Amino acid sequence: MTRNQFISSLPRNLFAGFVVSLIALPLGLSLAVASGMPATAGIVSAVVGGLVVALLGGSYVTISGPGYSLVVVLLTAVTTLGEGDLFLGYTHTLAAIALAGILITLLGILRMGKLAEFFPASAIEGMLAAIGLSLLVKQFPIMLGLEAGSGNPFIKLIKLPYVVAEFVQSVPVSASSAAAGLIGIVSLIILLFNSSIRNRYYQQIPSPMWVILLAVGYSYYYQLRGEANPIRSDLFIQLPDSVQSMIYRPNFELINSWGLWSIAITIAVIGSVESLLSIKAVDNLDPQRRRSNANKDLRALGVATAISGFLGGLNVVTVISRSSVNVTQQASNRSSNFFHGIFLLLFILFFSKLLNRVPLSALAAILVYTGYKLAHPLKLVAAAKVGKEQLLILVATSLITLSTNIITGIFLGTLITLLSHFVITRKPLLFLLHLFQPNVLAFKEKDTGSYYISVKYFCSFLNLFKLKSKLDAIGATKTVVIDFSLCEFVDHSAMQTVENYIASFEKKGGTVSTIGLDLHGASSSHPFAVRSLATESALGSIEKLFSRRQENLSKMSKEYGWKYAAKNQPLDPSLYRFLFFETKPIVQVYNTLVDPVSNGVVQDIVFNEGEFIARESAKVTVLTIKLESSIPSFVLDKEGLLDRLNAIAGYGDLMVEGHHYFNRKFHLSGSQPDKIRKLFSKELIFLIESSPIYLIESSGDELLILKKDRLLSPTEVKALVYFGRELIETLACNSISSNREISN
Amino acid sequence: MNQSLHQHNPFKRMLFGFAFSPSLESNLHEVVRLTEFFGSELILLHVGEKTEEKQRKIDSIVAATSAPSRVQELHWIPGDPYTTLLNSTKDLSIDLLVLGAMQHESLFRFYVGSVARKLTRSVKCSVLLLIKPAVERVACKHVVVSGFKTPSLPNTLFEGFYAAQCLGANKATIVEEIANKTVKVSVDDDRSLLRNLRRKRVLEAEEDRRVTELIDKLPRALTSSINVQKQAIFGKRGYSIGHYAEVTRADLLVMDAPAKTSVLSRIITQDVEFILSDLPSDLLICRTK
C-alpha cells in the first residue's frame, strides 16, 4: 500500500475504530468484572492490545482486546492464587498473564501459527459451548441483582429456575435488587432483539452501547428528579479517578509454584487457539481477501499480553465479533485497531465518572447474552446434522470441560474424536502406521498449468496441516484438484477446511474441486460429514449421500438437461471393444451422465491394470458416444500408450500430411490408414489441437474420449461434454462433405 | 531386441534367488523374460539343499519359460537366506539382483524388515523388486525415474533408460524432487507467497536444465523411442516420487540407492524407506559398482 492510499483510508479507519471502541468499552468492563478483576483491567488490555498489535501484528482488519474464553480460568485464578485475598490473587494472576504473554510470543517465534489446526472442529465447538454455558450461569444471578455464588457450573445450570424464583421473591423486599434486576432484564431484551429493530438511526449505535446509555440514563433520571438511586452503591462499577490508580503491578512471588505456571500455560494455549481461530475467520471476512501472517500476529499478541499483564490488564486475544464489526464499518488496515485503543483511552480518561453510573447487572446482561450465543442450542442441531458422532464429540467435550477445566476438556475431546475415527473405520492401524508419514503429493500439471493434489492413507485433524501447507503454497487464483481416491478416511475438520479453501479460492478467481470421494460412505448428507472407504455399511450408502462433486454433477445435469444417475451401473460389454480397456478388467461403473444432444455418456470407471496384477484399481472419467454412421476405427493419444498394443496388431504411427504439430504431439494409428487420414480433416485436427485431450479411440461405431488419466472435476466434465458435442458436429460435417465428394 | 541397444547392457549377470513358493512359476517366467529383454544371462540360486525332486521341478519350470537357454548357472547353497544371497552377489559378480517383494508391509514387517528389504539396503549391486510377476507378459508403458541430484545420478539415468528401452516403455518421467527446505521462503502471507512462487520457478528451471543436460549425454540408443518428460515436485524427498508413481500408475520406478541406512532411519522414515514400505510398482534401485 502506498503512503497516499494509507492516508486517504485514514478517516474510514478512524470511524471504524470509533464504532468498535463503543462495543469494546462495555465488553471490556464486563469481562474484567466477570474475571474478578477491577473493571479497568479490561480497558487496559484493549488499549494495549489495540496499540501493540496494530504496530507489530501481521493481520489486517482484526481487533484485539480481552476475550471471553479465559474468563472462568481467570476468575478461578484470582480466587485460588490469593487463598481468599482477592487483591493478592489479582496480582498473582497478573504475573500468570505476563508469563503467558512471554509463552505466546515464543509460540509465535516457533511458528506455531498452525497450533489451532491440531484440534478437531467439533471439540473446539464443544469447548466454546462449555465456556458460554459457564459464563451464562455465572452471570445470570448478577444480571438479576443477586449474589453470584460459587460452585460447579453444572449444579448452577440446574438451579437456574431457583435463581429466578429467588429474584421474584426479593422484588417486594429489596428495591435495590429489584431495580438492578430490571435493568439487567431490559438490557438482555435489548441485546436479544437488537437485530429485529430495523431503525436506521437506532442501528448506528451498537447494542452493548445502548445498554450502557440506558443504564446511565436511568441513573440521571433519578438525579434530575432529585431522588436517590434505588440501586445500592456496591452494585455499581467502581472506576478509579486517575490513570495511575488504574495501573497495578504483577506479583511474581509464586513464580516457582506449579499453580501459577499451569494457569500461565492455560492462558497461553487457549488464548492462542482463540486468537488463531479468529484470525482465520476474519481473513474470510476481509473484502480484499488478504492472508494474515498468523505467526507474526501471535508474536504481537504475546507482547501485548505481557505488557497488559505488567500494567494490570487481562490477556490480549484477537476477537471475532469486534473484528467483524470492524469489517462492516469498512476498516481497511490495522490503523482501526490502533484508533480503537486510542478512543478507549480517551473514554476512560474523560468519562470514568459517567461510567460509574453503570450498574453491574447491565454488564452481566452483556455476558449472559455472549454466553447464550456461544452455547446456543442450535449448535447441537448443526452438529447432529453433520453426523451423530459429531454431536457426541461436542456434548462430551463440553461436559468434560464443565466438570474439569478447559485444557483437560479440549484434550479429552480430541482423544474422543480420534477414538470415533477408530470406530468408524475399524482400522486404528491405518492411523497409527501412517501418522508420521507424509501423505500429500502436490504438483503442477504440465499440460494445463493447474495443480493436482493427491492425499493418501487418511486425512484428519492429525495430519490436516500437511494438506493445508500445500494449499497455502498455491496462489488462490489457480485451479486446484484435490484427489481423495487413495485416501481411506476424511474427517469433518478436513472436509470443513477444504470447503473453506473452495470458498476463498472462488472469491479470488481460482477454483478448488475435490474428486475421488464419491465412493466413500458418509455419516450424513451434510457437506462436512465424515467420509470413509472402509465401512460403507456402517455409514450411509453413497447413492443417497452425495459428495460435493456428485452434488455439482447433479446440479449441472438439471441445468443443462442431462440425465444423471449416481448409482452403480451394470457393465456395458461394448467398453471392452476399446483397446484401452482390452487388458483392463472393469470393476465398477458409476456416476453416469447422459447428454441427449451428442448422445454422449460420461461415466466414472474403476478398473484393474490387468488380470492377476496385484495393484490397486484405478479410476478414470470417460465419455463414450455411440455414432449414427460408422467411421474407421483408430486410436489417437498423446503419449502413445496404446501404440504398442496397436503395433502388435501391425499398425504404426500414422502421419497426416501438412500437420507437423499434430504429428509431433499425437500418436495416431488404425487398420485403415487412408480412410483415417481422410477422416482427420483440417477442422477435426484444429479442434483436437485446441483442447487438451488424453485419448480418443474409435471402435467403428462408438467413440471413447478421455480428457485426463484420472477422475475429472465437475468443471472438467462440463468441458468434456462440450468437447464431445463439438467432435460429433465436426465428424458430421466431415461425412456430409465427403458424401458430396462421392456424389460429385 | 537389437544389438546396438544390448551393447550398453549394465545388467550382464542377473541373479534370482528362488524359494519353492506358490509364486515360483510366475516369478521365473517374469525373470526369464526380463533377461531376454535385457540381453543378460541369468543365474539361479536356491538357498537350501539340492534334492532330486526339487531339481526336477525347477527344470520343468525353466523348460516352460520363453527362453530356457538364458539360464546359465544353477546354484544350491544351504545357509541363512540373507547372508547367502548377500555373499553370492559378490562371489558370482552379479550386476542385478532380482527379488520378489510384498507390495505393502505389515507393521511388524515394517520395523523388523523382510529379507528383501535388508538385501536392498546392503547389497553392492543394483536391485530389482518385483511386486506383480505374471506368467503372461504385461506391457511396461510408463517408467518413472528419480532425477534427484546425487553423484550417481548419471548411472541411475543410464540404468533406468536402459531398462525402459529394453522393456519397450514409451514414456519416461524424470521426477525432480525439490525439498521445501531448499525453497528457503516459508509462506506466511501473500507477499511471502509471491516470493516463494518466484523462487520455486527458478529452482524448477535449474533442475530442468540439469536433468536435460544429463539425458543429452546418454547414448542415443537408450533414449530414441521414449517420450521423455520432466516433472518437478516440491515435497518430501523419497516420498513424493513414490506417491507420484502411484497416481500416474507407473509400471517401473527407478531410484538411486540410499547412501546409508540405520535403525534411526526406519523410525524417522526417509528416502527409499518410504517406497520400500509401500511399493507403488516394480522398483529398480541402481547402484554404481
Side-chain angles (χ1 to χ4, degrees):
Chain A
M1 187 169 36
T2 63
R3 175 182 289 187
N4 278 343
Q5 273 175 320
F6 179 77
I7 291 172
S8 67
S9 74
L10 270 185
R12 221 171 43 213
N13 285 301
L14 187 80
F15 182 72
F18 175 73
V19 176
V20 172
S21 70
L22 292 185
I23 309 171
L25 180 70
L27 267 177
L29 295 173
S30 53
L31 288 167
V33 172
S35 309
M37 296 188 166
T40 45
I43 308 301
V44 170
S45 100
V47 172
V48 173
L51 305 188
V52 173
V53 178
L55 294 175
L56 304 179
S59 55
Y60 297 93
V61 284
T62 57
I63 294 291
S64 41
Y68 49 76
S69 68
L70 287 158
V71 166
V72 186
V73 173
L74 293 175
L75 181 62
T76 325
V78 169
T79 42
T80 53
L81 288 182
E83 287 166 354
D85 183 343
L86 286 183
F87 183 72
L88 188 64
Y90 167 54
T91 53
H92 284 321
T93 309
L94 289 182
I97 292 173
L99 291 174
I102 295 164
L103 291 178
I104 295 171
T105 315
L106 280 177
L107 287 178
I109 291 170
L110 295 174
R111 314 183 58 85
M112 286 303 285
K114 50 178 183 262
L115 179 73
E117 288 156 25
F118 289 104
F119 298 106
S122 292
I124 287 177
E125 283 284 309
M127 178 189 86
L128 292 179
I131 290 168
L133 220 52
S134 32
L135 259 184
L136 192 149
V137 293
K138 190 94 190 166
Q139 297 297 320
F140 195 78
I142 302 174
M143 182 181 81
L144 297 178
L146 305 168
E147 286 290 314
S150 58
N152 190 303
F154 263 139
I155 301 163
K156 280 199 213 144
L157 185 62
I158 298 162
K159 281 189 177 163
L160 269 191
Y162 293 98
V163 176
V164 177
E166 195 187 333
F167 171 67
V168 173
Q169 281 163 10
S170 74
V171 169
V173 189
S174 149
S176 157
S177 167
L182 188 71
I183 289 194
I185 291 169
V186 172
S187 305
L188 187 62
I189 290 172
I190 290 178
L191 293 165
L192 281 176
F193 296 99
N194 174 62
S195 54
S196 36
I197 299 170
R198 281 270 160 256
N199 187 302
R200 223 160 58 99
Y201 300 103
Y202 172 83
Q203 291 289 357
Q204 286 299 310
I205 296 176
S207 59
M209 205 59 201
W210 274 119
V211 170
I212 299 292
L213 291 178
L214 171 88
V216 172
Y218 179 80
S219 143
Y220 270 110
Y221 170 78
Y222 281 100
Q223 195 180 347
L224 287 178
R225 289 181 48 162
E227 291 174 28
N229 194 324
I231 302 175
R232 277 200 324 271
S233 63
D234 64 319
L235 292 180
F236 280 100
I237 312 183
Q238 318 275 326
L239 289 185
D241 303 329
S242 66
V243 176
Q244 280 92 349
S245 47
M246 289 181 200
I247 306 292
Y248 296 93
R249 295 268 171 236
N251 178 342
F252 283 102
E253 268 171 22
L254 294 178
I255 189 137
N256 289 324
S257 84
W258 169 241
L260 186 77
W261 277 101
S262 73
I263 288 166
I265 291 170
T266 309
I267 297 173
V269 172
I270 301 299
S272 304
V273 170
E274 183 183 5
S275 302
L276 290 169
L277 291 174
S278 310
I279 292 168
K280 213 163 65 177
V282 177
D283 270 2
N284 282 340
L285 297 177
D286 183 5
Q288 293 184 47
R289 297 274 132 200
R290 287 163 292 188
R291 191 192 312 208
S292 293
N293 185 336
N295 292 313
K296 196 175 172 190
D297 231 28
L298 209 52
R299 293 201 293 273
L301 288 165
V303 172
T305 301
I307 294 175
S308 172
F310 273 104
L311 297 179
L314 297 170
N315 65 318
V316 178
V317 295
T318 302
V319 281
I320 177 80
S321 56
R322 273 159 271 173
S323 305
S324 57
V325 171
N326 192 35
V327 173
T328 39
Q329 294 299 328
Q330 296 176 340
S332 59
N333 55 46
R334 288 197 293 275
S335 62
S336 67
N337 198 4
F338 188 85
F339 291 129
H340 127 268
I342 295 286
F343 278 118
L344 280 175
L345 191 62
L346 295 178
F347 287 152
I348 209 73
L349 287 181
F350 299 109
F351 300 107
S352 63
K353 283 257 164 50
L354 204 65
L355 291 172
N356 272 334
R357 294 171 179 269
V358 177
L360 292 173
S361 60
L363 294 183
I366 296 174
L367 290 182
V368 166
Y369 176 66
T370 308
Y372 168 73
K373 272 197 305 188
L374 282 175
H376 201 287
L378 278 180
K379 286 204 169 172
L380 294 180
V381 180
K385 268 191 190 153
V386 178
K388 288 186 209 90
E389 76 289 340
Q390 301 305 327
L391 181 66
L392 178 90
I393 295 163
L394 196 158
V395 172
T397 308
S398 45
L399 291 184
I400 295 167
T401 309
L402 283 175
S403 50
T404 56
N405 57 55
I406 296 183
I407 291 280
T408 318
I410 187 78
F411 277 104
L412 285 181
T414 305
L415 198 66
I416 292 169
T417 312
L418 187 61
L419 289 177
S420 82
H421 294 174
F422 288 177
V423 172
I424 291 173
T425 57
R426 299 190 200 125
K427 269 191 194 171
L429 274 183
L430 171 71
F431 298 90
L432 301 177
L433 259 175
H434 303 299
L435 178 57
F436 297 112
Q437 284 203 1
N439 68 330
V440 186
L441 166 78
F443 61 88
K444 200 172 173 182
E445 291 181 317
K446 281 234 163 117
D447 50 346
T448 50
S450 61
Y451 287 81
Y452 173 81
I453 299 183
S454 165
V455 188
K456 234 167 126 173
Y457 310 127
F458 72 98
C459 184
S460 78
F461 67 92
L462 291 170
N463 59 9
L464 185 55
F465 72 97
K466 291 178 189 157
L467 173 60
K468 288 193 59 162
S469 72
K470 299 281 184 203
L471 280 165
D472 284 339
I474 299 170
T477 50
K478 298 284 192 297
T479 305
V480 182
V481 173
I482 307 177
D483 186 351
F484 283 109
S485 51
L486 295 175
C487 188
E488 288 186 46
F489 176 78
V490 188
D491 83 339
H492 165 54
S493 307
M495 294 299 291
Q496 195 171 349
T497 304
V498 168
E499 201 76 11
N500 285 343
Y501 276 100
I502 290 175
S504 63
F505 268 64
E506 233 160 53
K507 283 187 181 143
K508 270 201 170 174
T511 55
V512 175
S513 36
T514 54
I515 58 173
L517 274 176
D518 309 347
L519 291 180
H520 292 60
S523 60
S524 76
S525 62
H526 197 276
F528 301 167
V530 167
R531 281 177 182 269
S532 164
L533 264 186
T535 52
E536 276 179 56
S537 52
L539 300 173
S541 80
I542 53 153
E543 281 141 38
K544 272 182 246 146
L545 307 172
F546 279 5
S547 71
R548 192 187 167 85
R549 175 172 180 263
Q550 285 171 313
E551 224 151 68
N552 282 338
L553 286 179
S554 141
K555 253 187 240 162
M556 239 161 59
S557 306
K558 274 198 200 114
E559 193 179 343
Y560 297 110
W562 306 334
K563 271 177 255 150
Y564 172 70
K567 66 168 181 268
N568 290 337
Q569 296 289 324
L571 178 62
D572 178 3
S574 73
L575 277 175
Y576 284 127
R577 290 174 48 210
F578 293 110
L579 272 176
F580 185 80
F581 285 113
E582 201 172 35
T583 56
K584 295 170 183 163
I586 295 171
V587 179
Q588 204 177 350
V589 180
Y590 60 104
N591 284 338
T592 311
L593 207 151
V594 181
D595 172 29
V597 175
S598 66
N599 247 334
V601 183
V602 178
Q603 285 168 319
D604 289 346
I605 291 182
V606 185
F607 63 91
N608 284 326
E609 287 274 13
E611 307 276 5
F612 310 120
I613 294 187
R615 200 143 14 122
E616 266 94 335
S617 50
K619 303 185 183 85
V620 286
T621 305
V622 305
L623 168 65
T624 48
I625 304 175
K626 287 230 163 45
L627 297 169
E628 281 165 9
S629 55
S630 65
I631 58 170
S633 55
F634 64 87
V635 176
L636 173 81
D637 78 323
K638 231 179 186 166
E639 286 158 0
L641 290 186
L642 295 177
D643 257 14
R644 298 279 157 175
L645 288 169
N646 247 345
I648 296 167
Y651 313 130
D653 193 357
L654 286 177
M655 296 291 160
V656 182
E657 237 172 86
H659 293 281
H660 297 292
Y661 177 81
F662 178 79
N663 290 336
R664 197 152 39 85
K665 273 283 182 216
F666 295 94
H667 296 251
L668 176 65
S669 56
S671 56
Q672 300 161 295
D674 294 336
K675 283 192 182 168
I676 295 172
R677 283 204 190 95
K678 200 169 207 176
L679 182 74
F680 278 79
S681 64
K682 242 188 297 176
E683 287 75 23
L684 185 60
I685 288 177
F686 182 55
L687 170 67
I688 290 168
E689 275 180 359
S690 60
S691 76
I693 59 128
Y694 179 74
L695 171 117
I696 303 179
E697 197 186 329
S698 145
S699 69
D701 48 10
E702 198 170 0
L703 281 174
L704 173 77
I705 302 160
L706 266 78
K707 244 187 146 39
K708 285 210 157 88
D709 191 20
R710 56 161 168 84
L711 292 177
L712 298 181
S713 72
T715 343
E716 289 165 336
V717 168
K718 213 185 281 181
L720 179 63
V721 172
Y722 179 74
F723 180 76
R725 285 187 187 177
E726 292 281 299
L727 187 62
I728 289 300
E729 216 166 276
T730 316
L731 285 176
C733 288
N734 269 354
S735 70
I736 291 169
S737 59
S738 62
N739 282 346
R740 224 175 266 151
E741 263 169 46
I742 293 165
S743 57
N744 285 346
Chain B
M1 285 291 154
N2 54 45
Q3 283 293 299
S4 66
L5 178 59
H6 284 165
Q7 70 183 8
H8 298 290
N9 189 358
F11 313 120
K12 293 206 171 60
R13 284 170 69 80
M14 288 166 57
L15 176 69
F16 179 59
F18 65 93
F20 286 91
S21 68
S23 57
L24 174 61
E25 197 182 343
S26 51
N27 272 328
L28 261 182
H29 273 98
E30 187 79 48
V31 176
V32 169
R33 204 157 44 224
L34 283 172
T35 52
E36 249 186 298
F37 283 130
F38 290 165
S40 316
E41 49 193 49
L42 179 62
I43 292 105
L44 293 177
L45 169 69
H46 177 65
V47 181
E49 296 292 342
K50 177 178 172 179
T51 63
E52 284 286 309
E53 193 198 342
K54 282 185 181 172
Q55 177 78 52
R56 247 196 328 272
K57 188 168 182 193
I58 192 80
D59 282 346
S60 70
I61 299 178
V62 169
T65 57
S66 49
S69 62
R70 289 281 168 188
V71 181
Q72 298 281 317
E73 297 162 36
L74 179 58
H75 298 268
W76 306 81
I77 307 174
D80 166 53
Y82 168 67
T83 41
T84 310
L85 279 164
L86 184 62
N87 292 332
S88 301
T89 52
K90 267 180 273 173
D91 300 343
L92 302 171
S93 56
I94 296 302
D95 302 303
L96 177 67
L97 172 66
V98 185
L99 295 165
M102 305 274 285
Q103 187 166 15
H104 303 288
E105 292 200 348
S106 64
L107 188 61
F108 173 77
R109 280 263 182 121
F110 181 74
Y111 287 102
V112 177
S114 60
V115 174
R117 261 178 77 183
K118 257 161 85 184
L119 278 168
T120 307
R121 280 184 218 110
S122 43
V123 292
K124 295 283 179 284
C125 62
S126 299
V127 179
L128 178 62
L129 291 170
L130 298 178
I131 56 162
K132 37 152 203 166
V135 176
E136 290 292 313
R137 164 152 160 75
V138 175
C140 174
K141 289 173 264 171
H142 183 196
V143 176
V144 171
V145 186
S146 164
F148 193 80
K149 189 178 181 177
T150 57
S152 57
L153 179 61
N155 179 60
T156 306
L157 289 175
F158 185 88
E159 294 191 6
F161 270 94
Y162 183 78
Q165 189 69 265
C166 288
L167 294 172
N170 15 35
K171 181 181 169 192
T173 310
I174 317 291
V175 171
E176 300 132 9
E177 288 176 286
I178 308 172
N180 282 324
K181 254 187 303 194
T182 51
V183 182
K184 282 185 186 137
V185 184
S186 50
V187 179
D188 282 318
D189 48 19
D190 292 332
R191 207 176 306 163
S192 53
L193 175 66
L194 279 181
R195 265 186 300 145
N196 175 289
L197 291 175
R198 207 175 304 145
R199 173 105 179 102
K200 276 184 180 166
R201 268 203 300 279
V202 173
L203 282 172
E204 222 177 300
E206 276 172 16
E207 289 284 305
D208 259 20
R209 209 175 310 129
R210 180 176 63 80
V211 171
T212 311
E213 272 171 22
L214 286 175
I215 292 173
D216 287 347
K217 281 183 195 157
L218 291 175
R220 280 289 294 156
L222 296 194
T223 51
S224 56
S225 71
I226 297 179
N227 173 6
V228 182
Q229 299 190 350
K230 278 155 279 174
Q231 177 72 56
I233 300 179
F234 292 87
K236 189 97 185 144
R237 203 215 140 178
Y239 172 77
S240 312
I241 189 168
H243 196 156
Y244 180 80
E246 192 171 352
V247 293
T248 52
R249 301 203 298 285
D251 300 284
L252 178 67
L253 175 58
V254 183
M255 288 193 75
D256 250 348
K260 250 192 299 198
T261 54
S262 60
V263 179
L264 189 71
S265 69
R266 247 168 294 166
I267 295 164
I268 309 162
T269 331
Q270 59 183 16
D271 288 15
V272 80
E273 301 289 322
F274 284 123
I275 290 164
L276 287 178
S277 67
D278 200 356
L279 288 172
S281 65
D282 292 345
L283 174 64
L284 173 64
I285 295 179
C286 304
R287 261 196 192 83
T288 347
K289 269 181 294 195

